[in-house]
Amino acid sequence: MSTPDVLFERLRQFRTSWPKAGWSWDNRLSCAASSFGVELVRDAHAVVSQALPNEWTMKNLAGAPATVRDIAQTTGGIRPDQFLLSSEAHGRLVAYALWWPWGDDVTISLRVGLAGYASEADWGRFREIFGIAEV
């Protein structure tokens, strides 16, 4: 299996194990998005951190690889209550997730995306995994 294939299989396993149904497309960030209640935090964090084991906060972001720092910058930075999770580089691709609490102590959004060089075929595979029609 090529390294992008390993990454997509990891994302497929993540999607299958995700504790909440339904994903939508975030046009602004070109990410799959899912919102969930705080009662699912433990399960959601366990699933996402298994697929994307590197966790970055404002405290440790300076030591992150350049690709991860670029993701944080292009998505608006990381606030104290947010974090970014990432895979290792799989060839030309890195998968990442943005964990964003809404500030209401009730809801959290998770946005999952690809960084690096992603072809149209890669984006097609990505959208298929998350059940998102063409955007």
Side-chain angles (χ1 to χ4, degrees):
M1 221 186 278
S2 72
T3 54
D5 288 339
V6 170
L7 177 66
F8 285 114
E9 182 55 32
R10 188 172 288 171
L11 288 172
R12 189 175 307 286
Q13 291 170 0
F14 159 76
R15 173 61 182 95
T16 300
S17 301
W18 186 243
K20 184 85 166 53
W23 288 81
S24 60
W25 188 251
D26 180 327
N27 283 317
R28 183 174 64 95
L29 297 175
S30 296
C31 290
S34 178
S35 296
F36 56 96
V38 294
E39 71 279 0
L40 295 176
V41 163
R42 181 175 290 150
D43 292 340
H45 189 265
V47 171
V48 73
S49 63
Q50 184 171 10
L52 306 171
N54 304 304
E55 191 167 311
W56 308 100
T57 66
M58 7 178 350
K59 292 181 180 180
N60 68 356
L61 185 62
T67 302
V68 172
R69 292 192 314 270
D70 289 346
I71 294 165
Q73 182 179 7
T74 60
T75 59
I78 299 176
R79 294 190 314 244
D81 60 341
Q82 299 174 333
F83 54 93
L84 186 157
L85 298 108
S86 66
S87 69
E88 300 299 328
H90 289 268
R92 56 189 164 66
L93 293 173
V94 171
Y96 67 91
L98 304 166
W99 182 283
W100 288 353
W102 285 18
D104 61 4
D105 296 325
V106 176
T107 309
I108 297 167
S109 290
L110 188 78
R111 287 167 171 77
V112 180
L114 297 174
Y117 174 72
S119 68
E120 279 302 313
D122 294 329
W123 282 113
R125 287 175 76 180
F126 181 85
R127 288 189 300 269
E128 180 270 324
I129 287 168
F130 288 92
I132 297 168
E134 286 292 318
V135 291

